[in-house]
Each structure stands twice: as structure tokens, then as C-alpha cells.
């Protein structure tokens, strides 16, 4: 089959990979659309020592599933963490935090930038008919966005500042808008601000944050840069909450004393369950379709990732096959 | 009156200070016992630009109180934050986070290492008769210890690791023991371990923490050193909570990515309300008397602070006057 292949930080298009064979509890899925995520771009920079087919956001159609024949022919999305079921986190009900977890296209498992992918049946969710492919492919990042918002569950009227309006920030903004909070989004690029025109939020540039200092009940940090936490601590009020989405080492000189003196809560958020994200799509409460900047064929994969890496680039999708 | 005086990081005993005159909503309190806290030692090192009488932990007797004559002659403890009542935090019900707050013996107000101190009547709490002076003087740090535990409110059986068994750590250990959690205390000094013999907890040395990696539901970091947060992140499980008590800049190389990937909650805690701390003392649920390492007269104040600064030193009190 055809797929993208990552090795030694080099991405190539290969036509010589065997179509994977599903195990007894796995399904073979024909990928329809795949999404390019910031983490894929980090992979290329060596963030994780991954070798194989990258990609973890997709919508596809089940081709084969010995243990779940009722799924064959149906559209699915796939939860990306594959747990061992036996370690301490698994036994305490935290399979997404399995200490031996494999992760689709990120750790120990070939991913979805391919014509076909094998996924455990337990990881699949059927896509409701009224959710188009172009929305369904956002399920994984939308689940992460929703989980970040769910950590604080802002009540209507809560003053929330979202730092960052990139691929993930746009989704978080849309989820926050469903809560009735008073939302301010700090966006770097004009294109990002344009995409927020349909969202019930005040949108400001990075140099307009000084007047927000100490006013936010909640800051959601999703700017993808290590400096985000320091800015978040500037904006949050005493006893407020900062939700951290950016994976980075602590910026040197970070004022953690402020966390103690002002009794701030910092909470990290990585990913979330798929069902509520699919519900947001099915109910039309979040519409990610305007976020698609380009849809490119698999054979243009390296160029697609390059395009996604440009500053302010929106969501770039890879089209693998048609649904039908 | 006689008092300790801090100026340019030098502490002296002075006999020439005027006895303060209480304002209309203030009380004049004759100090009976005062406690030396780590923050007092930090003040001497220049942590805050304070000039005046230091000290913020005390039990005393009300001498004069125009607006509250019923308090005269009674034993009291005093909440240390004096709020403006008008700033955004005050108006939102967070007076302890007043942006213009004065703090007894720490910021803008003379403190309790003196024969007399003036305190707003609103800050006073009467000490129940069955609480001896030597226990009542612990009300302020016990309130801080209880607030730190209250941030997580561990259910019985919760695996809690407390990092640090110094003055504050000893109090936190005793409050944690009242919750029924499964407590492990990491103590540096033999004397600290001895003081924990009466507490229902496993006590281990700093070099025995490796086997605890990733197992704690909750870590309370109260070791007074910047390295505490990194250790706490080593010990906490995915989706666990770290309560931060140490005010320090972020250690260089701190792995904040772990906070995101493992979805950890970090919560800062500074101080707490006095009522529940006084209740713990009155009900005999926490007995701080064994923690008193020495009680010294005010004229030996500089030596008392020096003694309190020694590694593993317990609680050093200053005796100012008798209760009667």
C-alpha cells in the first residue's frame, strides 16, 4: 500500500509497504481523511524517537473486523492510545495513561498517513451519519480541546482567556463558546483572528494582553510555545486556574512563587474521550469545517506537512480515499 | 516597649520603641508567645523589603479595643492579612488575596516580636479556654497546613506523600493523619523522623523515594527547597495532584511537559482561615506541643532566630509575657 514513512526525521512517500493484517481483536480500516497535527510536525523535529507511518487523526471505513463484523462498511474514528490493561494506571481505570501504552502514529504503532491502518476494535467509534468526513477527522483534536475545557468546566460568565488560536486553539475557542463563559482569545496571526469571527469571543493580539493582567478566572494555554505559561500566570487572578496544553520544559525564570502566593491551580491536559467530541459535532455545536485550509493527496504528504508547519497555517488534511 | 527590629537585614533588640496606639477599629494586644517561622528567616535574607518589627505568629491578650470591649482581657490569635476591602480580589470575596494587602510583620505593618502589637479587631479570633498558649501560637501555621490539605481533601485510603518534615511539614503531617489517607512522609533529619513517631504515617529518608515513583495520588511539597517540585513530579501518578507550599523560582530543567502528558494538577497554597485550625486544636485532633524545640525570651531574639535557622531545628518560640 501507499503511505508516508518517517525515519531519521525524514518523511518519504512509499508504495512498497504491505497492507497490514488485523489481529483477532483488531479492525482493518481504509483511511478516508487524515489530519496533520502539531505533534506530527514535532515528530519530524525528533520530539519522539518514532520510525514508521506517522499520523493519528483520521476518519475511515472498516474493511475487516473478525470480532466485530457489524462494523464492516461503517465510518469510524479511532482513539489513539492502546493500553496494556495490566499496569498500575490501567488497573486504576486510567488506560489513556497506561505506562506501556502504544500510540497510533506516535509510539510503537504505525499511524494513519496510509491507505490502511490496523486498530483495536475497542478503540473504534462509529461516526454518526450527519457528521461529514471533513468534520469527523477533527474528532481526536476536538476530544483533546473538550477535555481541556472540561478540566475547569467554566460556568456562564466566567472570565476565560485562551492563549493561542492555532489548530488546537481554534477548537478550544469553539468548545469554550458553548459554555457561556466570557471569552477573550489571544491570537497571533490575522488569519487566526478571521477564523474567530464566527465565535462569540473578544479577540485580541499578543501585544494587547497587559490590560488583562490578573483578571482571568481561567487561562487556557494553547499557544504551543514555552513562554505561554509565564503569560498565563500574568493573566490569571489569585486562586484562578491555568490549563496547560503546551508540552515544553519550564521557561527559565518562571515565577512559580506566584503559584504559591496567589494560590493558583495549574492543570495539565493531553487528550480526552471521543464520545462527547462526536456529540458536539453531531449536534452541530462545533463546526470545524471552516478550519480546513487545504486538503491534499497522500503523494503530496511531505509538501502538506511543510504547509502545515508555516506560521499561522490552518488545518491541512490528507485525502486518502473516498467514503463510498 | 521592647521589640525586635529588622532593618537592612540586621535584627536588633530595641527598648526605645513607643507602644503602638490602636486606631478606632483596632485592638492593642499584649503578646504572650510568638513563633518563629521560615518566612521570618527568609525576611532576614531579604526575601521581602521589610523594615520594622517582624513576626506574625502569636497568641496574646487584648489590652484595649474601643470597638470590641468584650474582647478585653481575653486571649486571641490574629489573622495576618489586612485587606483594603476595595480592590478586585477583595470585592470578589478574596480578602486574603487583596492586591494592596498589608501583612503583619511581613508587609507594611509591625509584627508580633514585640511586647505589644496593634491588629484590626476583625482579624482577631478568641482562643478556646482548653487550648493552651503553647498550642494557640501554632494557629497561623496550622491554618496554612490545613488549607494545603483542604486543597485536595484526600479521601480515606488515598496515597499521599508529604515531602518535608520541617516546622510546616510536621503540622501538615498531623493534619493529613486526621483524614485517614495512606501517608508517607519524606523527612531529611533524624530529629524530624522522631517527631513523626506519634503520627500514623510511614516515614522514609530522602534517598528512599525511588520506589515511590509514580505511585502517589497526592504529593504535598513542603520541603522549602526549589528541588521539591521536581521530586513531587517524580512521585505523583498520572492525573494526580501536587500541592505546592514552597515559594521558589522554577528549577531549571523542570519537566513541565510531564504535567501536560500525565495530566497532573499543581495547586499552590499559601495560608488559610483560622477557625478550622482552632477547632483542630480545641478538639485535640492536632497536638503541636511536642514540636516546640525551645522557648526563649525576647531579649535573646537574634539568638532564637539563629537557632531556628539551623538545619532540622524545630519550632522556636519567643516568650513575651505571661497570660495572667
Amino acid at each position: 500500500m501507499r503511505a508516508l514513512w518517517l525515519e531519521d526525521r525524514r518523511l518519504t512517500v512509499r508504495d512498497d509497504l504491505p497492507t497490514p493484517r488485523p489481529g483477532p481483536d483488531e479492525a482493518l480500516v481504509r483511511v478516508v481523511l487524515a489530519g496533520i497535527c502539531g505533534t506530527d510536525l514535532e515528530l519530524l523535529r525528533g520530539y519522539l524517537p518514532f520510525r514508521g507511518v506517522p499520523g493519528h487523526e483520521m476518519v475511515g471505513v472498516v474493511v475487516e473486523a473478525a470480532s466485530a463484523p457489524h462494523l464492516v462498511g461503517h465510518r469510524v474514528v479511532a482513539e489513539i492510545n492502546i493500553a496494556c490493561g495490566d499496569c498500575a494506571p490501567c488497573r486504576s481505570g486510567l488506560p489513556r495513561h497506561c505506562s506501556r501504552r502504544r500510540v497510533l502514529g506516535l509510539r510503537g504503532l504505525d499511524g494513519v498517513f496510509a491507505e490502511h491502518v490496523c486498530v483495536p476494535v475497542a478503540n473504534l467509534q462509529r461516526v454518526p451519519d450527519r457528521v461529514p468526513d471533513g468534520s469527523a477527522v477533527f474528532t481526536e483534536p476536538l476530544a483533546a480541546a473538550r477535555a481541556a475545557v472540561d478540566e475547569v468546566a467554566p460556568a456562564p460568565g466566567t472570565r476565560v482567556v485562551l492563549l493561542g488560536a492555532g489548530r488546537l486553539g481554534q477548537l478550544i475557542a469553539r468548545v469554550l463558546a458553548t459554555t457561556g463563559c466570557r471569552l477573550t482569545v489571544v491570537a497571533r496571526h490575522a488569519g487566526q483572528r478571521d477564523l474567530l469571527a464566527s465565535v462569540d469571543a473578544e479577540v485580541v493580539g499578543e501585544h494587547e494582553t497587559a490590560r488583562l493582567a490578573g483578571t482571568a478566572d481561567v487561562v487556557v494555554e494553547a499557544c504551543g510555545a514555552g513562554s505561554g505559561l509565564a503569560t498565563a500566570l500574568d493573566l490569571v487572578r489569585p486562586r484562578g486556574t491555568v490549563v496547560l496544553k503546551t508540552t515544553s520544559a519550564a521557561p527559565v525564570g518562571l515565577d512559580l512563587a506566584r503559584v504559591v502566593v496567589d494560590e493558583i491551580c495549574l492543570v495539565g491536559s493531553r487528550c480526552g474521550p471521543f464520545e462527547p467530541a462526536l456529540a458536539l459535532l453531531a449536534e452541530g455545536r462545533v463546526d470545524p469545517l471552516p478550519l480546513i485550509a487545504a486538503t491534499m493527496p497522500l503523494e503530496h504528504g511531505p509538501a502538506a506537512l511543510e504547509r502545515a508547519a508555516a506560521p499561522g497555517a490552518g488545518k491541512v488534511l490528507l485525502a486518502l480515499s473516498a467514503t463510498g
Side-chain angles (χ1 to χ4, degrees), chain A residues 48-238:
Chain A
L48 290 173
F50 181 79
R51 174 179 172 277
V53 178
H56 56 276
E57 301 178 2
M58 71 112 191
V59 58
V61 174
V62 176
V63 174
E64 192 183 328
S67 65
H70 61 283
L71 286 177
V72 174
H74 288 290
R75 291 189 309 152
V76 290
V77 289
E79 155 68 49
I80 70 174
N81 296 288
I82 288 133
C84 75
D86 192 42
C87 67
C90 280
R91 275 183 277 116
S92 64
L94 297 172
R96 288 191 288 115
H97 290 280
C98 168
S99 57
R100 293 191 284 261
R101 67 184 175 272
R102 295 174 300 160
V103 187
L104 212 60
L106 287 169
R107 190 194 291 189
L109 273 182
D110 280 336
V112 302
F113 294 164
E115 289 173 321
H116 291 90
V117 62
C118 281
V119 185
V121 165
N123 285 47
L124 297 180
Q125 295 271 339
R126 273 195 63 176
V127 177
D129 289 343
R130 59 188 166 284
V131 178
D133 293 339
S135 292
V137 72
F138 283 89
T139 304
E140 195 277 335
L142 182 60
R146 201 210 61 92
V149 174
D150 201 46
E151 289 289 348
V152 282
T158 304
R159 290 159 303 175
V160 179
V161 175
L162 168 62
L163 293 179
R167 281 175 281 265
L168 187 63
Q170 293 285 342
L171 292 171
I172 295 173
R174 283 159 174 77
V175 177
L176 281 168
T178 68
T179 68
C181 70
R182 285 162 53 195
L183 176 61
T184 301
V185 184
V186 181
R188 177 174 295 169
H189 301 285
Q192 296 173 339
R193 291 192 281 273
D194 293 346
L195 285 174
L196 290 166
S198 64
V199 176
D200 183 16
E202 175 192 38
V203 182
V204 302
E206 284 184 321
H207 302 294
E208 299 170 73
T209 58
R211 69 176 167 83
L212 301 171
T215 66
D217 299 313
V218 171
V219 179
V220 181
E221 180 287 308
C223 61
S227 59
L229 177 53
T231 306
L233 290 180
D234 286 342
L235 303 189
V236 73
R237 66 160 169 84

